[in-house]
């Protein structure tokens, strides 16, 4: 694989893990997000809530979601996803995953 100058930062979250609160990247970097779930308690697609970030690629398999997020400009952004129990509408509460991303020039 050729060195394209893009730095890739991996962020992985498994059930029971402490949540990452923030991340620092540079313009042009990619954040590779993997949120592990299960078929019964799966994650919704990762969303850019605000800031200079764009989803370049995304996918989901059996409750686990993956996203490649590109930093497109300097500033602060936020990524989010929620996870809900899919077997019973009155089941466990919805969980929120969020990550603040600080992008420098």
């Amino acid at each position: 694989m050729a060195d394209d100058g893009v730095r890739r930062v991996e962020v992985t979250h498994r059930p029971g893990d402490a949540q990452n609160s923030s991340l620092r990247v540079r313009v042009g970097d990619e954040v590779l997000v993997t949120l592990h779930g299960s078929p019964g308690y799966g994650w919704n697609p990762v969303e850019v809530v605000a800031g200079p970030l764009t989803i370049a690629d995304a996918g989901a398999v059996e409750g686990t979601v993956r996203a490649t997020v590109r930093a497109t400009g300097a500033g602060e952004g936020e990524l989010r996803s929620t996870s809900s129990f899919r077997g019973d509408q009155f089941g466990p509460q919805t969980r929120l995953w969020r990550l603040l991303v600080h992008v420098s020039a």
Side-chain angles (χ1 to χ4, degrees):
M1 183 163 100
D3 180 11
D4 55 11
V6 174
R7 186 173 69 129
R8 290 172 180 87
V9 179
E10 292 188 36
V11 175
T12 302
H13 180 77
R14 296 184 192 301
D17 283 355
Q19 186 147 170
N20 297 339
S21 58
S22 67
L23 179 67
R24 294 193 178 277
V25 297
R26 296 181 307 250
V27 173
D29 288 353
E30 291 182 343
V31 180
L32 310 174
V33 178
T34 303
L35 305 177
H36 290 276
S38 67
Y41 212 116
W43 290 98
N44 291 309
V46 173
E47 298 178 315
V48 174
V49 177
L53 305 168
T54 187
I55 303 290
D57 188 36
V61 175
E62 295 184 0
T64 295
V65 297
R66 299 183 196 301
T68 301
V69 181
R70 191 166 295 130
T72 58
E76 286 189 357
E78 183 176 341
L79 302 173
R80 282 189 188 177
S81 181
T82 57
S83 177
S84 300
F85 184 68
R86 297 180 180 178
D88 178 0
Q89 67 181 5
F90 302 107
Q93 294 181 334
T94 298
R95 297 179 292 186
L96 171 67
W97 174 87
R98 65 190 288 252
L99 179 67
L100 299 176
V101 182
H102 306 278
V103 183
S104 60

